[in-house]
Amino acid sequence: MTQTASAPRIRSVALVGNPNCGKTTLFNRLTGLRQKVGNYPGVTVEKKEGIIRFADGSIAEMLDLPGTYSLIPHSPDESIATDILLGRYKNENPDLVVCVVDASNLERHLYLVTQIIDRQLPLVIALNMVDIAEENGVNINKEILTKRLGVPVVPVVASKGIGIDNLKRVIAEANHPVGQSRQWKLPSLVDQELNELMGLLADHHQLSAPIAFHESVLLLSSGNGSPTNGNRYSQQVLRHLQQDHNRLDAAGIDRQSVFVESRFQLVREICASAVEKKESGKPTISDRIDHFATHKVWGFIIFLIFMGLMFQAMFSWSEIPMLAISNGFDWIGLQVTRVLPAGPLQDLIVNGAFAGVAAVVTFLPQILFLFFFLGILEDTGYMARAAFIMDRLMGKVGLSGKSFIPLLSSFACAIPGIMATRTIDNPRDRLVTMLVAPLMSCSARLPVYTLMIAAFIPGITLFGFLSLAGLTLLSMYLLGLLAALGTAWVFKKTLAKGTPSFFIMELPQYRLPSVQSIGRQMFDRSWQFVKRAGTFILGVSIVLWFLASYPRTENATPAEQLQQSFAGQAGKIIEPVIKPLGFDWKIGIGLIGSLLQREVFVSTMGTIYNIQDAGDGSVSLQQKIRDERDPETGKPSFTLLTAICVMVYYVFAMQCFSTVAIMRKETGGWKWPVFQFAYMTTLAWLFTFGVYRVGLLLGGA
Amino acid sequence: MGWQEIVALVIVATAAILLIRSEILSRQNGKSVSCGNCSCTGAETLKSTFDV
Amino acid sequence: MKTFEGQSLAHILPGQLFRIRQLANHPEVCTRLRELGFCENAVVRCITKGYGNIICEVFNTRFGIDSLTASSIGISNV
């Protein structure tokens, strides 16, 4: 029953497909945008919007939807895609659906295609990765496929930009066909019951034929008795459904499998006629890599080596560029002091604005290295293997391997990490993963750790290649990971009791990381970082300079002036709370300043130590912190123990308003973000207190 | 109060106003979920997703 | 979670090919498994086993699957 849509000009195009089939790569090609791509299922967890421009100058809105295996969603990200396809979002249907299909894996991907055809929406198939399919000995006859499905099929290679213009041309055409629905053959009794139920649903609930069909399939394949969403249906529909169930069960028909099996039977028939495949029988490269990468011993060792290398690189390799940036800022500061005579304005520029911004921007090379390694993880296909390796460990704390990808993403930032939990189907597992994700050390903590490590950890090399500084950094990240796992275990035993959900995850083929993709991600993120330093951090540093310099005290030394300033007074107010942690009022200023953003701690330290030392640009911030003396006792204010305590505090403390905001949005209220802020701050205080007391006992003072 | 101090205080006041203004605007536009450290743009997030 | 009492996917060794015969799990889990390709009569190949979980291939797609879920998938020789 082929029909044609009547809309002469399309306004909205929805891009759908199975997870990891290249939707976002194609979206970027079609719209010219640069949304994040990666080689693991679940990179896109929200609807992305863009504009597609056609050759005649007209435009249409394009939606990139999260991947879904079927129109029956199992997790929040899949619901976003299925709700749009089922017309539940704003009660609107997209004018055209472009379904991206992996040509090297047609049999599995056509399952969703047949569902969308049954939904009777105008459809175009983008047959992606035809190059890989050909390399694998898979040849697809496009004409036969087009004829069997009743919709246009356009071969493309999104990653190389091949076939994009042709796809655009096909999208721009008017009157797209909706395909031949219900080609799959059901046993006659099932077919009869399905038609009856469809008619009843259409009459009683005013559903369109495709939606009534979709709901009838769901109802007939549901368990015995009332379906879980039974209160949506009239009594007559429910009574009829019960009779249907009884009749089908009496006939010995497996209601749960009959629909899926029939659909797959159709898919097999289509593939048999349209696909030619030469089986090589040899193990593929992915087979060989997986033999080691997911091995019960080697798998874990490879994972640890990768993480170890990442932290070594972040600390050791970034040393020279960091020094260059720092020297560059010092030089600029020196030029300002030459041009501008000494006075409050020079003080503001050199010791306020410059010192604050420089303290943060210096860490740019480390941020770049972090995103380089995370990019490799995401782009090669190893990310999903890491989740597989970790499933057993995650099971011990009551979660499944699916929770590991959001946690690993949180190394970059907790916000994408929390959003990535949308791929978790079990709501309790999702909540717990969201609650513990900010304990993973994000990139904003990196400047804090590095400053403390550079100031107090000796530059010793162990076994000839492992630097103690790199190991300290690694241990902070491990502490965050252990804290996340430990709290997850507690939450799963108390707040969100329940068995872990089943773990099943698609493992993509390995591929060489794309230099362009990783480079672009590194550029985007470093640009965001620099932009932030040039706007928010600069503003905060200027305001902090004022708070640390006023009210002015006549004839006071810079140190006394700082102590009597607004910032000094604020630090003194919270000093009783933080004194048991070994922190003085200056660290207190840093803690208050960094409540919204963790890295503000470093810019705050840069500003207040520069003000105190009247802008002695020849000495680094690390050196200034090391040389700091308690005016009363003459002893160092900052010791190795203090540095460790600061790092431990930042491992646990929430100190990020953006995370609070995303938690509110994802959980739909203030309860969980408030709980999260409270538990993390409490943990931070308790753990730092414990470390400080133990350190004192061991003679750390 | 010398000219340097006057200019410095004007800069401080401007920075404070701009900070407060950008925070208010970002709340109104729903940009509050952007952390600035990565490419997750809060505006996109709130505009494009519906409650799940 | 129910487990399959006969030969199940959890027992197969790397390189072996089997046909899926029956799923014995919660209905929603069964639906998901079927939609991923683990439906009755599908041929499944074990790639590797590690940490109690297995990696297998069905419809040319590779999946990591936990041992408990694998034990709910009944199989027989091809």
Side-chain angles (χ1 to χ4, degrees), chain A residues 132-193:
Chain A
I132 295 174
E134 279 168 17
E135 276 170 28
N136 293 347
V138 178
N139 268 312
I140 298 169
N141 188 320
K142 193 191 90 176
E143 281 70 34
I144 296 178
L145 199 57
T146 305
K147 202 173 158 200
R148 286 298 309 260
L149 297 171
V151 293
V153 175
V154 185
V156 292
V157 183
S159 60
K160 295 175 184 164
I162 299 169
I164 303 298
D165 288 340
N166 193 24
L167 179 61
K168 268 192 182 181
R169 191 183 50 73
V170 174
I171 292 173
E173 282 170 8
N175 300 327
H176 293 94
V178 294
Q180 292 171 270
S181 76
R182 289 185 69 178
Q183 287 189 65
W184 40 306
K185 300 282 180 294
L186 287 165
S188 57
L189 179 61
V190 183
D191 210 36
Q192 186 192 326
E193 301 290 4

Side-chain angles (χ1 to χ4, degrees), chain B:
Chain B
M1 197 182 278
W3 70 270
Q4 276 213 16
E5 190 156 19
I6 293 169
V7 175
L9 291 177
V10 169
I11 292 173
V12 170
T14 312
I17 291 166
L18 287 177
L19 270 180
I20 294 166
R21 188 172 161 268
S22 76
E23 283 301 299
I24 292 170
L25 279 180
S26 68
R27 298 286 173 273
Q28 282 171 352
N29 295 339
K31 282 183 186 168
S32 58
V33 289
S34 174
C35 64
N37 288 328
C38 60
S39 54
C40 59
T41 50
E44 237 166 40
T45 311
L46 280 192
K47 237 172 45 183
S48 60
T49 347
F50 42 95
D51 284 338
V52 288

Side-chain angles (χ1 to χ4, degrees), chain A residues 70 104-105 287 392 503 507, chain C residues 35 51 59-62 64 66:
Chain A
S70 90
S104 63
N105 207 344
D287 285 352
R392 248 349 208 336
F503 173 76
L507 306 177
Chain C
E35 288 183 336
Y51 309 97
F59 284 113
N60 207 24
T61 307
R62 194 162 296 205
D66 71 81

Side-chain angles (χ1 to χ4, degrees), chain A residues 481-684:
Chain A
L481 173 64
L482 289 176
L485 295 179
T487 41
W489 181 80
V490 173
F491 291 154
K492 280 293 284 187
K493 291 276 173 199
T494 51
L495 289 174
K497 281 183 196 170
T499 50
S501 75
F502 66 103
F503 173 76
I504 180 158
M505 180 178 266
E506 186 176 337
L507 306 177
Q509 297 281 324
Y510 286 103
R511 68 172 187 215
L512 281 173
S514 149
V515 177
Q516 194 191 12
S517 162
I518 295 179
R520 185 177 282 173
Q521 230 189 101
M522 285 168 69
F523 175 80
D524 283 351
R525 297 194 175 201
S526 53
W527 173 240
Q528 292 284 342
F529 184 78
V530 171
K531 210 165 83 177
R532 189 95 188 143
T535 52
F536 183 78
I537 302 279
L538 176 68
V540 169
S541 300
I542 290 172
V543 173
L544 188 76
W545 171 85
F546 171 77
L547 295 174
S549 308
Y550 288 83
R552 291 272 188 209
T553 313
E554 292 300 317
N555 303 322
T557 62
E560 287 165 352
Q561 167 64 46
L562 178 64
Q563 203 165 344
Q564 285 155 23
S565 67
F566 295 121
Q569 288 171 39
K572 288 272 180 193
I573 290 171
I574 70 154
E575 199 175 23
V577 183
I578 57 171
K579 191 111 185 157
L581 313 180
F583 297 165
D584 65 1
W585 58 273
K586 279 182 211 159
I587 299 177
I589 299 174
L591 295 184
I592 299 171
S594 64
L595 264 175
L596 296 182
Q597 292 273 320
R598 293 181 179 98
E599 68 267 43
V600 173
F601 177 80
V602 174
S603 63
T604 308
M605 291 288 120
T607 303
I608 61 174
Y609 276 93
N610 250 31
I611 290 172
Q612 178 182 279
D613 296 343
D616 186 355
S618 64
V619 180
S620 68
L621 178 59
Q622 292 95 305
Q623 189 62 44
K624 284 175 189 165
I625 290 175
R626 267 198 300 266
D627 294 344
E628 169 81 352
R629 290 278 183 276
D630 186 323
E632 287 166 18
T633 61
K635 287 181 182 171
S637 302
F638 242 106
T639 61
L640 173 63
L641 181 57
T642 325
I644 292 172
C645 286
V646 168
M647 287 193 281
V648 170
Y649 185 86
Y650 274 90
V651 166
F652 289 95
M654 179 70 154
Q655 310 278 110
C656 177
F657 189 78
S658 307
T659 307
V660 175
I662 192 79
M663 273 298 280
R664 202 209 83 80
K665 183 177 160 290
E666 293 291 302
T667 60
W670 282 107
K671 180 179 150 191
W672 293 113
V674 167
F675 171 76
Q676 189 176 39
F677 184 84
Y679 101 77
M680 285 180 71
T681 310
T682 310
L683 272 187

Side-chain angles (χ1 to χ4, degrees), chain A residues 69-70 72 74 78 104-105 107-108 111 115 254 256-257 260-261 264 268 277 284 286-287 290 294-297 299-300 385 388-389 391-392 502-507 509, chain C residues 1 25-42 45 47-55 57-67 69:
Chain A
Y69 290 105
S70 90
I72 305 170
H74 285 258
E78 291 188 349
S104 63
N105 207 344
E107 215 162 340
R108 246 274 319 290
Y111 182 84
Q115 284 189 321
D254 185 345
Q256 282 165 13
S257 68
V260 182
E261 178 56 33
F264 267 119
R268 283 190 201 107
K277 192 178 180 189
T284 62
S286 286
D287 285 352
D290 269 340
T294 58
H295 187 268
K296 58 185 168 191
V297 180
F300 209 73
R385 269 76 181 184
F388 175 79
I389 291 167
D391 179 60
R392 248 349 208 336
F502 66 103
F503 173 76
I504 180 158
M505 180 178 266
E506 186 176 337
L507 306 177
Q509 297 281 324
Chain C
M1 188 184 285
N25 211 316
H26 297 303
E28 60 270 33
V29 179
C30 288
T31 306
R32 165 85 338 175
L33 285 170
R34 287 190 181 103
E35 288 183 336
L36 290 175
F38 291 87
C39 56
E40 286 79 354
N41 293 321
R45 177 170 75 106
I47 307 283
T48 178
K49 286 178 102 164
Y51 309 97
N53 296 347
I54 72 164
I55 293 179
E57 201 171 75
V58 65
F59 284 113
N60 207 24
T61 307
R62 194 162 296 205
F63 286 97
I65 182 165
D66 71 81
S67 53
T69 308

Side-chain angles (χ1 to χ4, degrees), chain A residues 379-395:
Chain A
D379 226 42
T380 51
Y382 186 67
M383 191 80 150
R385 269 76 181 184
F388 175 79
I389 291 167
M390 286 295 165
D391 179 60
R392 248 349 208 336
L393 182 66
M394 300 301 286

